[in-house]
Amino acid sequence: MALIIPEHYNPVLGVKETQVAIKLVKDYFEQELAAALNLVRVSAPIMVTEDSGLNDNLNGVERPVGFDIKEQPGVKAEIVHSLAKWKRMALKEYGFHIGEGLYTDMNAIRRDEDTDNIHSIFVDQWDWEYIIDPAKRNEATLRAIVEKVYDTLQRTERHVCRYYSFIEPSLPDKITFVTSQELEDRYPDKTPKEREYLAVKEYGAVFLMQIGGALKSGQIHDGRAPDYDDWTLNGDILLYYAPLDISLEVSSMGIRVNPDALRRQLAVRGCEERARLPFQKALLDGELPQTIGGGIGQSRMCIYFLKKAHVGEVQSSLWPQDVQTACKEANIQLL
């Protein structure tokens, strides 16, 4: 998606008022999400070692920001892309049980991100993870958790609209569940992103399921790392965002791989050697709990609820000079 400049853009909140509103959104949503899913806030790393297997390798081509450490010769550290795998390890190490979970503020740098109105090289999200009974490792569990997250989004929107009466609510009453294969069947001549747009324009809010594996066409809808989500039990929460006329992904989540799913997905991606890394080995040896989890974009949520045109209005990051110039001319004030 190229940079979108809305015509006659006039932000409903000034810069100072936006800072107050960001805290309002984040504080309320965080509190409500923790209550809905029985989550405890924990501290989390901004860096992991290269050889731990804990970093999210995204699509396998993105380069993590790495550095050496003076006091630890030979150790290569990486800034996290996300905490998808770290959270599962933490649940075991911190002594959590079935029906309990954790969440944390996750800040990441994705140096190879293609930036636009909703993408930044700086990523801020709530990363959460919850232990489930292995017997409930199914789509019904996934749908139930998605509906709890969506209900929390709706309550947050109502809270924001009560505080700022000039902001109108726009979330539909319910979220619609659809699979990536159903979208390919419905729109075979469209790209995956075009299919997402058409679906979310129709329904307003969509949970797009089963992302990562090959479709009937032989293509994948979107890339997913092979060693955290089970590609048959995952998905994205997508919202239609009218000010930019786009599909806005606010969350990626799913039931995590068990040993069988991990072996299968590593083979599909041709990276079976990752099974020897500490995290993956612990999972294959049955040492980690069965979990469901995901990330929820903090800045993305603020864009949606505060009716912003650019993610740079709700987070401080780095942007190309031509983007800075275009935004300034369009009354979009980047932090």
Side-chain angles (χ1 to χ4, degrees), residues 220-247:
I220 62 172
H221 181 85
D222 198 5
R224 286 294 188 275
D227 44 11
Y228 54 93
D229 281 353
D230 184 326
W231 297 337
T232 68
L233 291 168
N234 70 350
D236 293 341
I237 295 178
L238 309 172
L239 307 176
Y240 177 65
Y241 187 53
L244 296 177
D245 188 31
I246 61 168
S247 170

Side-chain angles (χ1 to χ4, degrees), residues 297-313:
Q298 297 183 6
S299 290
R300 294 275 183 94
M301 190 182 303
C302 289
I303 290 173
Y304 188 89
F305 291 139
L306 305 181
K307 310 305 179 187
K308 295 297 184 179
H310 197 283
V311 64
E313 295 178 275

